[in-house]
Amino acid sequence: MAVVRRPGADHCGIAAAMAVIDGKWKVSLLWELERSPRRRFGELRRLVPGVSEKVLAAQLRELENDGIVHREVYDEVPPRVEYSLTPLGEELNGALEALGEWGTKHLLPAAAPGRLPERPGPA
Amino acid sequence: MAVVRRPGADHCGIAAAMAVIDGKWKVSLLWELERSPRRRFGELRRLVPGVSEKVLAAQLRELENDGIVHREVYDEVPPRVEYSLTPLGEELNGALEALGEWGTKHLLPAAAPGRLPERPGPA
DNA sequence: CCGTATCCGAGATGATACTG
DNA sequence: CAGTATCATCTCGGATACGG
């Protein structure tokens, strides 16, 4: 479980939430799974450029163990596995919106009018 | 500068914000500075148990460089330095509230009625 | 009191090869 | 296709000692 990697994660909501999204690619994964559910492993690999197979698998497992993503295995050949957000994961994504708006407003390079929608995604 | 440590930090508000709060103790520091502004270095060291002097100084510098905290140096002996949140830092803290509520609601051990206020702090 | 300078280790990530 | 196994790397943070 991921949930005790930050100090105070056992009694502070923020630290606990940070523990869940701690991992270089997790926010990107949440983002992609929100944009379109039922993503396959290879799709995610392509959608999140730079992540290795090992780390992608590991972070998906952690998100699964934390109840954020659901992993559906189809018994076919070739194999097929689909990942999607759980209701809890969708709530988490919602809770991240305020943070995303703050970042967009204050940190991103000044956007041309019309660009940079409310919650722009990675890559 | 801290702001490009996560993938997509240059074009995704969430990644950019995550880059700013990336650092084991930064959220705790934000929390303490919100609870009471004008904290001295030694106070923060005590208020955030476990942090070393090196890392405390480093993360305060990063927050300062990112415009989140203000560092006021008084030319006295013995030396005195006070840290406080900037308006931007206060906004950031506000943007973290939703995340804290999500974490408190879904991750923390069930709280006895009356305990765990809206945004409980670390330590 | 408020830091900085070094050294070091742990853990997370990356690269690659391999398997059901 | 969807991973696992293995090894290399790299960054962050911890410990300690010293300086203004």
Side-chain angles (χ1 to χ4, degrees):
Chain A
M1 285 256 271
V3 176
V4 193
R5 284 170 298 196
R6 294 222 167 213
D10 53 331
H11 57 278
C12 169
I14 295 180
M18 296 285 297
V20 169
I21 57 179
D22 190 16
K24 191 172 178 181
W25 310 99
K26 284 187 186 173
V27 170
S28 296
L29 292 173
L30 292 182
W31 170 254
E32 290 301 338
L33 290 175
E34 170 136 319
R35 285 189 31 181
S36 83
R38 302 192 153 271
R39 286 295 192 187
R40 304 180 60 168
F41 186 87
E43 288 180 313
L44 290 171
R45 181 122 170 65
R46 282 186 297 276
L47 289 168
V48 180
V51 67
S52 70
E53 294 184 350
K54 184 189 100 177
V55 173
L56 177 56
Q59 305 210 348
L60 283 169
R61 292 300 176 150
E62 290 187 354
L63 289 171
E64 187 190 359
N65 291 335
D66 288 339
I68 307 301
V69 310
H70 171 70
R71 179 170 177 269
E72 183 86 28
V73 183
Y74 298 86
D75 197 358
E76 308 173 349
V77 335
R80 181 161 61 108
V81 177
E82 287 180 350
Y83 295 91
S84 52
L85 289 180
T86 64
L88 183 60
E90 291 174 7
E91 264 194 67
L92 171 56
N93 247 157
L96 284 169
E97 263 179 31
L99 198 61
E101 285 166 17
W102 178 89
T104 299
K105 182 177 171 189
H106 297 291
L107 302 179
L108 296 187
R115 298 196 47 219
L116 287 175
E118 292 232 320
R119 197 189 154 203
Chain B
M1 289 253 275
V3 178
V4 194
R5 283 171 299 197
R6 295 222 167 212
D10 52 332
H11 57 278
C12 168
I14 295 180
M18 296 286 298
V20 168
I21 58 178
D22 189 16
K24 189 172 178 181
W25 310 99
K26 285 187 185 173
V27 170
S28 297
L29 292 173
L30 292 181
W31 171 253
E32 290 301 336
L33 291 175
E34 171 136 319
R35 284 189 30 181
S36 83
R38 302 190 153 271
R39 286 294 192 188
R40 303 181 59 169
F41 186 88
E43 288 179 313
L44 290 171
R45 182 124 169 65
R46 282 187 297 276
L47 289 167
V48 181
V51 67
S52 70
E53 294 184 350
K54 182 190 102 174
V55 173
L56 177 56
Q59 305 210 347
L60 283 170
R61 292 302 175 147
E62 290 187 355
L63 290 171
E64 187 191 358
N65 291 336
D66 288 339
I68 307 300
V69 309
H70 171 68
R71 179 169 177 268
E72 183 87 28
V73 183
Y74 298 86
D75 196 357
E76 308 173 352
V77 336
R80 181 161 62 105
V81 177
E82 287 181 349
Y83 295 90
S84 53
L85 289 180
T86 63
L88 184 61
E90 292 173 8
E91 264 193 68
L92 171 57
N93 248 157
L96 284 169
E97 265 179 31
L99 198 61
E101 285 165 17
W102 179 88
T104 299
K105 181 178 173 190
H106 297 291
L107 302 178
L108 295 187
R115 298 198 48 220
L116 287 176
E118 291 232 319
R119 200 191 151 200

PDB file of all heavy atoms in Angstrom, chain B residues 36-71:
ATOM      1  N   SER B  36       0.199  29.598  11.794  1.00  0.00           N
ATOM      2  CA  SER B  36       0.674  30.864  12.328  1.00  0.00           C
ATOM      3  C   SER B  36       1.847  31.357  11.518  1.00  0.00           C
ATOM      4  O   SER B  36       2.878  30.696  11.405  1.00  0.00           O
ATOM      5  CB  SER B  36       1.019  30.735  13.805  1.00  0.00           C
ATOM      6  OG  SER B  36       2.303  30.214  13.970  1.00  0.00           O
ATOM      7  N   PRO B  37       1.679  32.536  10.948  1.00  0.00           N
ATOM      8  CA  PRO B  37       2.697  33.129  10.082  1.00  0.00           C
ATOM      9  C   PRO B  37       3.886  33.579  10.916  1.00  0.00           C
ATOM     10  O   PRO B  37       3.844  33.562  12.129  1.00  0.00           O
ATOM     11  CB  PRO B  37       1.989  34.321   9.463  1.00  0.00           C
ATOM     12  CG  PRO B  37       0.592  34.331   9.996  1.00  0.00           C
ATOM     13  CD  PRO B  37       0.534  33.400  11.154  1.00  0.00           C
ATOM     14  N   ARG B  38       4.919  34.009  10.235  1.00  0.00           N
ATOM     15  CA  ARG B  38       6.117  34.548  10.887  1.00  0.00           C
ATOM     16  C   ARG B  38       6.782  33.514  11.784  1.00  0.00           C
ATOM     17  O   ARG B  38       7.102  33.784  12.939  1.00  0.00           O
ATOM     18  CB  ARG B  38       5.789  35.800  11.693  1.00  0.00           C
ATOM     19  CG  ARG B  38       5.174  36.895  10.840  1.00  0.00           C
ATOM     20  CD  ARG B  38       5.078  38.211  11.565  1.00  0.00           C
ATOM     21  NE  ARG B  38       5.118  39.305  10.585  1.00  0.00           N
ATOM     22  CZ  ARG B  38       6.218  39.885  10.152  1.00  0.00           C
ATOM     23  NH1 ARG B  38       7.393  39.485  10.606  1.00  0.00           N
ATOM     24  NH2 ARG B  38       6.172  40.847   9.264  1.00  0.00           N
ATOM     25  N   ARG B  39       7.006  32.359  11.231  1.00  0.00           N
ATOM     26  CA  ARG B  39       7.715  31.328  11.965  1.00  0.00           C
ATOM     27  C   ARG B  39       9.209  31.463  11.752  1.00  0.00           C
ATOM     28  O   ARG B  39       9.657  31.729  10.640  1.00  0.00           O
ATOM     29  CB  ARG B  39       7.275  29.954  11.484  1.00  0.00           C
ATOM     30  CG  ARG B  39       5.892  29.562  11.950  1.00  0.00           C
ATOM     31  CD  ARG B  39       5.870  29.399  13.436  1.00  0.00           C
ATOM     32  NE  ARG B  39       4.625  28.758  13.876  1.00  0.00           N
ATOM     33  CZ  ARG B  39       4.285  28.638  15.156  1.00  0.00           C
ATOM     34  NH1 ARG B  39       5.059  29.111  16.108  1.00  0.00           N
ATOM     35  NH2 ARG B  39       3.167  28.032  15.472  1.00  0.00           N
ATOM     36  N   ARG B  40       9.974  31.236  12.780  1.00  0.00           N
ATOM     37  CA  ARG B  40      11.430  31.269  12.645  1.00  0.00           C
ATOM     38  C   ARG B  40      11.943  29.901  12.252  1.00  0.00           C
ATOM     39  O   ARG B  40      11.244  28.890  12.407  1.00  0.00           O
ATOM     40  CB  ARG B  40      12.054  31.717  13.969  1.00  0.00           C
ATOM     41  CG  ARG B  40      11.517  33.068  14.413  1.00  0.00           C
ATOM     42  CD  ARG B  40      12.152  33.505  15.688  1.00  0.00           C
ATOM     43  NE  ARG B  40      13.608  33.603  15.564  1.00  0.00           N
ATOM     44  CZ  ARG B  40      14.378  34.168  16.487  1.00  0.00           C
ATOM     45  NH1 ARG B  40      13.830  34.671  17.576  1.00  0.00           N
ATOM     46  NH2 ARG B  40      15.681  34.204  16.327  1.00  0.00           N
ATOM     47  N   PHE B  41      13.157  29.875  11.745  1.00  0.00           N
ATOM     48  CA  PHE B  41      13.755  28.626  11.267  1.00  0.00           C
ATOM     49  C   PHE B  41      13.710  27.547  12.348  1.00  0.00           C
ATOM     50  O   PHE B  41      13.235  26.431  12.117  1.00  0.00           O
ATOM     51  CB  PHE B  41      15.190  28.880  10.819  1.00  0.00           C
ATOM     52  CG  PHE B  41      15.847  27.695  10.176  1.00  0.00           C
ATOM     53  CD1 PHE B  41      15.722  27.472   8.821  1.00  0.00           C
ATOM     54  CD2 PHE B  41      16.594  26.806  10.929  1.00  0.00           C
ATOM     55  CE1 PHE B  41      16.330  26.376   8.218  1.00  0.00           C
ATOM     56  CE2 PHE B  41      17.204  25.706  10.344  1.00  0.00           C
ATOM     57  CZ  PHE B  41      17.073  25.494   8.991  1.00  0.00           C
ATOM     58  N   GLY B  42      14.171  27.894  13.524  1.00  0.00           N
ATOM     59  CA  GLY B  42      14.221  26.921  14.614  1.00  0.00           C
ATOM     60  C   GLY B  42      12.833  26.437  15.037  1.00  0.00           C
ATOM     61  O   GLY B  42      12.657  25.278  15.404  1.00  0.00           O
ATOM     62  N   GLU B  43      11.858  27.343  14.958  1.00  0.00           N
ATOM     63  CA  GLU B  43      10.494  26.949  15.283  1.00  0.00           C
ATOM     64  C   GLU B  43      10.002  25.890  14.292  1.00  0.00           C
ATOM     65  O   GLU B  43       9.441  24.861  14.694  1.00  0.00           O
ATOM     66  CB  GLU B  43       9.569  28.162  15.224  1.00  0.00           C
ATOM     67  CG  GLU B  43       9.760  29.142  16.363  1.00  0.00           C
ATOM     68  CD  GLU B  43       8.811  30.340  16.229  1.00  0.00           C
ATOM     69  OE1 GLU B  43       8.709  30.920  15.116  1.00  0.00           O
ATOM     70  OE2 GLU B  43       8.177  30.694  17.220  1.00  0.00           O
ATOM     71  N   LEU B  44      10.228  26.175  13.030  1.00  0.00           N
ATOM     72  CA  LEU B  44       9.786  25.217  12.011  1.00  0.00           C
ATOM     73  C   LEU B  44      10.474  23.870  12.204  1.00  0.00           C
ATOM     74  O   LEU B  44       9.868  22.813  12.057  1.00  0.00           O
ATOM     75  CB  LEU B  44      10.073  25.769  10.608  1.00  0.00           C
ATOM     76  CG  LEU B  44       9.196  26.949  10.212  1.00  0.00           C
ATOM     77  CD1 LEU B  44       9.675  27.577   8.914  1.00  0.00           C
ATOM     78  CD2 LEU B  44       7.739  26.495  10.071  1.00  0.00           C
ATOM     79  N   ARG B  45      11.734  23.935  12.546  1.00  0.00           N
ATOM     80  CA  ARG B  45      12.471  22.698  12.795  1.00  0.00           C
ATOM     81  C   ARG B  45      11.798  21.873  13.890  1.00  0.00           C
ATOM     82  O   ARG B  45      11.703  20.659  13.788  1.00  0.00           O
ATOM     83  CB  ARG B  45      13.899  23.054  13.215  1.00  0.00           C
ATOM     84  CG  ARG B  45      14.803  21.886  13.474  1.00  0.00           C
ATOM     85  CD  ARG B  45      16.044  21.968  12.609  1.00  0.00           C
ATOM     86  NE  ARG B  45      17.061  21.016  13.007  1.00  0.00           N
ATOM     87  CZ  ARG B  45      16.903  19.706  12.926  1.00  0.00           C
ATOM     88  NH1 ARG B  45      15.756  19.193  12.520  1.00  0.00           N
ATOM     89  NH2 ARG B  45      17.911  18.913  13.251  1.00  0.00           N
ATOM     90  N   ARG B  46      11.338  22.530  14.904  1.00  0.00           N
ATOM     91  CA  ARG B  46      10.670  21.812  15.998  1.00  0.00           C
ATOM     92  C   ARG B  46       9.248  21.410  15.625  1.00  0.00           C
ATOM     93  O   ARG B  46       8.781  20.330  15.981  1.00  0.00           O
ATOM     94  CB  ARG B  46      10.619  22.699  17.253  1.00  0.00           C
ATOM     95  CG  ARG B  46      11.944  22.750  18.010  1.00  0.00           C
ATOM     96  CD  ARG B  46      11.797  23.492  19.320  1.00  0.00           C
ATOM     97  NE  ARG B  46      11.431  24.902  19.123  1.00  0.00           N
ATOM     98  CZ  ARG B  46      12.300  25.881  18.881  1.00  0.00           C
ATOM     99  NH1 ARG B  46      13.579  25.612  18.793  1.00  0.00           N
ATOM    100  NH2 ARG B  46      11.890  27.131  18.726  1.00  0.00           N
ATOM    101  N   LEU B  47       8.573  22.276  14.875  1.00  0.00           N
ATOM    102  CA  LEU B  47       7.174  22.007  14.537  1.00  0.00           C
ATOM    103  C   LEU B  47       7.031  20.877  13.530  1.00  0.00           C
ATOM    104  O   LEU B  47       5.984  20.245  13.437  1.00  0.00           O
ATOM    105  CB  LEU B  47       6.520  23.275  13.974  1.00  0.00           C
ATOM    106  CG  LEU B  47       6.286  24.372  15.002  1.00  0.00           C
ATOM    107  CD1 LEU B  47       5.935  25.687  14.325  1.00  0.00           C
ATOM    108  CD2 LEU B  47       5.158  23.947  15.936  1.00  0.00           C
ATOM    109  N   VAL B  48       8.084  20.653  12.764  1.00  0.00           N
ATOM    110  CA  VAL B  48       8.049  19.594  11.760  1.00  0.00           C
ATOM    111  C   VAL B  48       9.063  18.530  12.155  1.00  0.00           C
ATOM    112  O   VAL B  48      10.188  18.518  11.671  1.00  0.00           O
ATOM    113  CB  VAL B  48       8.366  20.153  10.358  1.00  0.00           C
ATOM    114  CG1 VAL B  48       8.319  19.062   9.311  1.00  0.00           C
ATOM    115  CG2 VAL B  48       7.395  21.268  10.003  1.00  0.00           C
ATOM    116  N   PRO B  49       8.673  17.627  13.008  1.00  0.00           N
ATOM    117  CA  PRO B  49       9.630  16.683  13.589  1.00  0.00           C
ATOM    118  C   PRO B  49      10.159  15.723  12.525  1.00  0.00           C
ATOM    119  O   PRO B  49       9.404  15.206  11.727  1.00  0.00           O
ATOM    120  CB  PRO B  49       8.797  15.916  14.630  1.00  0.00           C
ATOM    121  CG  PRO B  49       7.493  16.636  14.736  1.00  0.00           C
ATOM    122  CD  PRO B  49       7.300  17.371  13.462  1.00  0.00           C
ATOM    123  N   GLY B  50      11.464  15.548  12.550  1.00  0.00           N
ATOM    124  CA  GLY B  50      12.062  14.594  11.614  1.00  0.00           C
ATOM    125  C   GLY B  50      12.842  15.257  10.499  1.00  0.00           C
ATOM    126  O   GLY B  50      13.716  14.631   9.903  1.00  0.00           O
ATOM    127  N   VAL B  51      12.528  16.491  10.207  1.00  0.00           N
ATOM    128  CA  VAL B  51      13.238  17.160   9.115  1.00  0.00           C
ATOM    129  C   VAL B  51      14.628  17.585   9.580  1.00  0.00           C
ATOM    130  O   VAL B  51      14.808  18.018  10.721  1.00  0.00           O
ATOM    131  CB  VAL B  51      12.432  18.377   8.617  1.00  0.00           C
ATOM    132  CG1 VAL B  51      12.357  19.455   9.670  1.00  0.00           C
ATOM    133  CG2 VAL B  51      13.013  18.905   7.327  1.00  0.00           C
ATOM    134  N   SER B  52      15.594  17.434   8.710  1.00  0.00           N
ATOM    135  CA  SER B  52      16.951  17.864   9.035  1.00  0.00           C
ATOM    136  C   SER B  52      17.134  19.326   8.663  1.00  0.00           C
ATOM    137  O   SER B  52      16.363  19.885   7.885  1.00  0.00           O
ATOM    138  CB  SER B  52      17.968  17.014   8.272  1.00  0.00           C
ATOM    139  OG  SER B  52      17.926  17.312   6.898  1.00  0.00           O
ATOM    140  N   GLU B  53      18.168  19.935   9.215  1.00  0.00           N
ATOM    141  CA  GLU B  53      18.411  21.346   8.912  1.00  0.00           C
ATOM    142  C   GLU B  53      18.626  21.549   7.419  1.00  0.00           C
ATOM    143  O   GLU B  53      18.094  22.478   6.824  1.00  0.00           O
ATOM    144  CB  GLU B  53      19.640  21.833   9.676  1.00  0.00           C
ATOM    145  CG  GLU B  53      19.453  21.850  11.179  1.00  0.00           C
ATOM    146  CD  GLU B  53      20.663  22.445  11.875  1.00  0.00           C
ATOM    147  OE1 GLU B  53      21.689  22.646  11.204  1.00  0.00           O
ATOM    148  OE2 GLU B  53      20.580  22.708  13.095  1.00  0.00           O
ATOM    149  N   LYS B  54      19.390  20.669   6.830  1.00  0.00           N
ATOM    150  CA  LYS B  54      19.696  20.823   5.409  1.00  0.00           C
ATOM    151  C   LYS B  54      18.440  20.834   4.562  1.00  0.00           C
ATOM    152  O   LYS B  54      18.236  21.713   3.731  1.00  0.00           O
ATOM    153  CB  LYS B  54      20.611  19.689   4.934  1.00  0.00           C
ATOM    154  CG  LYS B  54      21.014  19.818   3.479  1.00  0.00           C
ATOM    155  CD  LYS B  54      21.712  18.581   2.959  1.00  0.00           C
ATOM    156  CE  LYS B  54      20.781  17.727   2.135  1.00  0.00           C
ATOM    157  NZ  LYS B  54      21.463  16.595   1.500  1.00  0.00           N
ATOM    158  N   VAL B  55      17.606  19.839   4.807  1.00  0.00           N
ATOM    159  CA  VAL B  55      16.412  19.692   3.980  1.00  0.00           C
ATOM    160  C   VAL B  55      15.409  20.806   4.274  1.00  0.00           C
ATOM    161  O   VAL B  55      14.773  21.335   3.363  1.00  0.00           O
ATOM    162  CB  VAL B  55      15.795  18.304   4.188  1.00  0.00           C
ATOM    163  CG1 VAL B  55      14.467  18.184   3.473  1.00  0.00           C
ATOM    164  CG2 VAL B  55      16.763  17.238   3.697  1.00  0.00           C
ATOM    165  N   LEU B  56      15.296  21.177   5.538  1.00  0.00           N
ATOM    166  CA  LEU B  56      14.392  22.278   5.869  1.00  0.00           C
ATOM    167  C   LEU B  56      14.799  23.532   5.115  1.00  0.00           C
ATOM    168  O   LEU B  56      13.973  24.187   4.471  1.00  0.00           O
ATOM    169  CB  LEU B  56      14.407  22.525   7.377  1.00  0.00           C
ATOM    170  CG  LEU B  56      13.558  23.702   7.841  1.00  0.00           C
ATOM    171  CD1 LEU B  56      12.113  23.556   7.394  1.00  0.00           C
ATOM    172  CD2 LEU B  56      13.642  23.871   9.351  1.00  0.00           C
ATOM    173  N   ALA B  57      16.077  23.855   5.170  1.00  0.00           N
ATOM    174  CA  ALA B  57      16.563  25.038   4.464  1.00  0.00           C
ATOM    175  C   ALA B  57      16.298  24.917   2.966  1.00  0.00           C
ATOM    176  O   ALA B  57      15.823  25.853   2.329  1.00  0.00           O
ATOM    177  CB  ALA B  57      18.054  25.221   4.736  1.00  0.00           C
ATOM    178  N   ALA B  58      16.563  23.748   2.419  1.00  0.00           N
ATOM    179  CA  ALA B  58      16.418  23.555   0.977  1.00  0.00           C
ATOM    180  C   ALA B  58      14.965  23.720   0.536  1.00  0.00           C
ATOM    181  O   ALA B  58      14.677  24.412  -0.446  1.00  0.00           O
ATOM    182  CB  ALA B  58      16.945  22.176   0.588  1.00  0.00           C
ATOM    183  N   GLN B  59      14.053  23.108   1.302  1.00  0.00           N
ATOM    184  CA  GLN B  59      12.668  23.156   0.863  1.00  0.00           C
ATOM    185  C   GLN B  59      12.082  24.536   1.082  1.00  0.00           C
ATOM    186  O   GLN B  59      11.251  25.014   0.297  1.00  0.00           O
ATOM    187  CB  GLN B  59      11.858  22.059   1.563  1.00  0.00           C
ATOM    188  CG  GLN B  59      12.501  20.691   1.339  1.00  0.00           C
ATOM    189  CD  GLN B  59      11.540  19.527   1.316  1.00  0.00           C
ATOM    190  OE1 GLN B  59      10.382  19.624   1.697  1.00  0.00           O
ATOM    191  NE2 GLN B  59      12.032  18.388   0.841  1.00  0.00           N
ATOM    192  N   LEU B  60      12.547  25.237   2.119  1.00  0.00           N
ATOM    193  CA  LEU B  60      12.107  26.617   2.297  1.00  0.00           C
ATOM    194  C   LEU B  60      12.601  27.482   1.138  1.00  0.00           C
ATOM    195  O   LEU B  60      11.868  28.331   0.627  1.00  0.00           O
ATOM    196  CB  LEU B  60      12.618  27.162   3.634  1.00  0.00           C
ATOM    197  CG  LEU B  60      11.856  26.692   4.869  1.00  0.00           C
ATOM    198  CD1 LEU B  60      12.578  27.089   6.146  1.00  0.00           C
ATOM    199  CD2 LEU B  60      10.432  27.256   4.871  1.00  0.00           C
ATOM    200  N   ARG B  61      13.820  27.238   0.693  1.00  0.00           N
ATOM    201  CA  ARG B  61      14.339  28.004  -0.451  1.00  0.00           C
ATOM    202  C   ARG B  61      13.518  27.756  -1.696  1.00  0.00           C
ATOM    203  O   ARG B  61      13.218  28.677  -2.464  1.00  0.00           O
ATOM    204  CB  ARG B  61      15.791  27.611  -0.735  1.00  0.00           C
ATOM    205  CG  ARG B  61      16.777  28.023   0.312  1.00  0.00           C
ATOM    206  CD  ARG B  61      16.793  29.501   0.555  1.00  0.00           C
ATOM    207  NE  ARG B  61      17.696  29.777   1.668  1.00  0.00           N
ATOM    208  CZ  ARG B  61      18.420  30.877   1.771  1.00  0.00           C
ATOM    209  NH1 ARG B  61      18.299  31.826   0.876  1.00  0.00           N
ATOM    210  NH2 ARG B  61      19.218  31.035   2.801  1.00  0.00           N
ATOM    211  N   GLU B  62      13.177  26.494  -1.923  1.00  0.00           N
ATOM    212  CA  GLU B  62      12.391  26.188  -3.115  1.00  0.00           C
ATOM    213  C   GLU B  62      11.024  26.867  -3.053  1.00  0.00           C
ATOM    214  O   GLU B  62      10.565  27.446  -4.040  1.00  0.00           O
ATOM    215  CB  GLU B  62      12.223  24.670  -3.261  1.00  0.00           C
ATOM    216  CG  GLU B  62      13.514  23.966  -3.636  1.00  0.00           C
ATOM    217  CD  GLU B  62      13.306  22.494  -3.935  1.00  0.00           C
ATOM    218  OE1 GLU B  62      12.170  21.997  -3.763  1.00  0.00           O
ATOM    219  OE2 GLU B  62      14.270  21.831  -4.352  1.00  0.00           O
ATOM    220  N   LEU B  63      10.408  26.793  -1.897  1.00  0.00           N
ATOM    221  CA  LEU B  63       9.110  27.453  -1.757  1.00  0.00           C
ATOM    222  C   LEU B  63       9.253  28.955  -1.950  1.00  0.00           C
ATOM    223  O   LEU B  63       8.391  29.610  -2.536  1.00  0.00           O
ATOM    224  CB  LEU B  63       8.508  27.139  -0.375  1.00  0.00           C
ATOM    225  CG  LEU B  63       8.038  25.693  -0.189  1.00  0.00           C
ATOM    226  CD1 LEU B  63       7.658  25.430   1.256  1.00  0.00           C
ATOM    227  CD2 LEU B  63       6.860  25.390  -1.103  1.00  0.00           C
ATOM    228  N   GLU B  64      10.371  29.491  -1.475  1.00  0.00           N
ATOM    229  CA  GLU B  64      10.609  30.920  -1.658  1.00  0.00           C
ATOM    230  C   GLU B  64      10.792  31.240  -3.149  1.00  0.00           C
ATOM    231  O   GLU B  64      10.181  32.170  -3.672  1.00  0.00           O
ATOM    232  CB  GLU B  64      11.858  31.332  -0.869  1.00  0.00           C
ATOM    233  CG  GLU B  64      12.087  32.829  -0.853  1.00  0.00           C
ATOM    234  CD  GLU B  64      13.456  33.183  -0.291  1.00  0.00           C
ATOM    235  OE1 GLU B  64      14.199  32.258   0.113  1.00  0.00           O
ATOM    236  OE2 GLU B  64      13.793  34.383  -0.265  1.00  0.00           O
ATOM    237  N   ASN B  65      11.609  30.448  -3.814  1.00  0.00           N
ATOM    238  CA  ASN B  65      11.840  30.670  -5.239  1.00  0.00           C
ATOM    239  C   ASN B  65      10.566  30.524  -6.065  1.00  0.00           C
ATOM    240  O   ASN B  65      10.414  31.163  -7.103  1.00  0.00           O
ATOM    241  CB  ASN B  65      12.899  29.703  -5.764  1.00  0.00           C
ATOM    242  CG  ASN B  65      14.278  30.011  -5.220  1.00  0.00           C
ATOM    243  OD1 ASN B  65      14.565  31.150  -4.830  1.00  0.00           O
ATOM    244  ND2 ASN B  65      15.126  29.005  -5.153  1.00  0.00           N
ATOM    245  N   ASP B  66       9.682  29.678  -5.595  1.00  0.00           N
ATOM    246  CA  ASP B  66       8.424  29.488  -6.313  1.00  0.00           C
ATOM    247  C   ASP B  66       7.369  30.513  -5.906  1.00  0.00           C
ATOM    248  O   ASP B  66       6.235  30.444  -6.374  1.00  0.00           O
ATOM    249  CB  ASP B  66       7.896  28.068  -6.071  1.00  0.00           C
ATOM    250  CG  ASP B  66       8.735  27.019  -6.807  1.00  0.00           C
ATOM    251  OD1 ASP B  66       9.421  27.393  -7.782  1.00  0.00           O
ATOM    252  OD2 ASP B  66       8.704  25.836  -6.424  1.00  0.00           O
ATOM    253  N   GLY B  67       7.743  31.413  -5.030  1.00  0.00           N
ATOM    254  CA  GLY B  67       6.817  32.482  -4.665  1.00  0.00           C
ATOM    255  C   GLY B  67       5.767  32.093  -3.648  1.00  0.00           C
ATOM    256  O   GLY B  67       4.759  32.783  -3.493  1.00  0.00           O
ATOM    257  N   ILE B  68       5.999  30.993  -2.955  1.00  0.00           N
ATOM    258  CA  ILE B  68       5.000  30.497  -2.003  1.00  0.00           C
ATOM    259  C   ILE B  68       5.221  31.047  -0.600  1.00  0.00           C
ATOM    260  O   ILE B  68       4.272  31.293   0.122  1.00  0.00           O
ATOM    261  CB  ILE B  68       5.048  28.942  -1.956  1.00  0.00           C
ATOM    262  CG1 ILE B  68       4.930  28.362  -3.360  1.00  0.00           C
ATOM    263  CG2 ILE B  68       3.970  28.396  -1.031  1.00  0.00           C
ATOM    264  CD1 ILE B  68       3.671  28.731  -4.066  1.00  0.00           C
ATOM    265  N   VAL B  69       6.474  31.189  -0.210  1.00  0.00           N
ATOM    266  CA  VAL B  69       6.753  31.739   1.114  1.00  0.00           C
ATOM    267  C   VAL B  69       7.643  32.976   0.995  1.00  0.00           C
ATOM    268  O   VAL B  69       8.416  33.116   0.036  1.00  0.00           O
ATOM    269  CB  VAL B  69       7.435  30.709   2.052  1.00  0.00           C
ATOM    270  CG1 VAL B  69       6.679  29.401   2.074  1.00  0.00           C
ATOM    271  CG2 VAL B  69       8.876  30.489   1.657  1.00  0.00           C
ATOM    272  N   HIS B  70       7.520  33.839   1.976  1.00  0.00           N
ATOM    273  CA  HIS B  70       8.348  35.036   2.047  1.00  0.00           C
ATOM    274  C   HIS B  70       9.355  34.871   3.178  1.00  0.00           C
ATOM    275  O   HIS B  70       9.018  34.372   4.239  1.00  0.00           O
ATOM    276  CB  HIS B  70       7.477  36.261   2.303  1.00  0.00           C
ATOM    277  CG  HIS B  70       8.263  37.490   2.600  1.00  0.00           C
ATOM    278  ND1 HIS B  70       9.045  38.116   1.641  1.00  0.00           N
ATOM    279  CD2 HIS B  70       8.412  38.195   3.741  1.00  0.00           C
ATOM    280  CE1 HIS B  70       9.629  39.161   2.199  1.00  0.00           C
ATOM    281  NE2 HIS B  70       9.263  39.235   3.475  1.00  0.00           N
ATOM    282  N   ARG B  71      10.583  35.270   2.927  1.00  0.00           N
ATOM    283  CA  ARG B  71      11.649  35.133   3.907  1.00  0.00           C
ATOM    284  C   ARG B  71      12.112  36.518   4.322  1.00  0.00           C
ATOM    285  O   ARG B  71      12.601  37.303   3.507  1.00  0.00           O
ATOM    286  CB  ARG B  71      12.810  34.346   3.290  1.00  0.00           C
ATOM    287  CG  ARG B  71      14.006  34.137   4.199  1.00  0.00           C
ATOM    288  CD  ARG B  71      14.960  33.132   3.564  1.00  0.00           C
ATOM    289  NE  ARG B  71      16.153  32.936   4.354  1.00  0.00           N
ATOM    290  CZ  ARG B  71      17.292  33.631   4.182  1.00  0.00           C
ATOM    291  NH1 ARG B  71      17.348  34.556   3.260  1.00  0.00           N
ATOM    292  NH2 ARG B  71      18.334  33.382   4.947  1.00  0.00           N
TER     293      ARG B  71
END
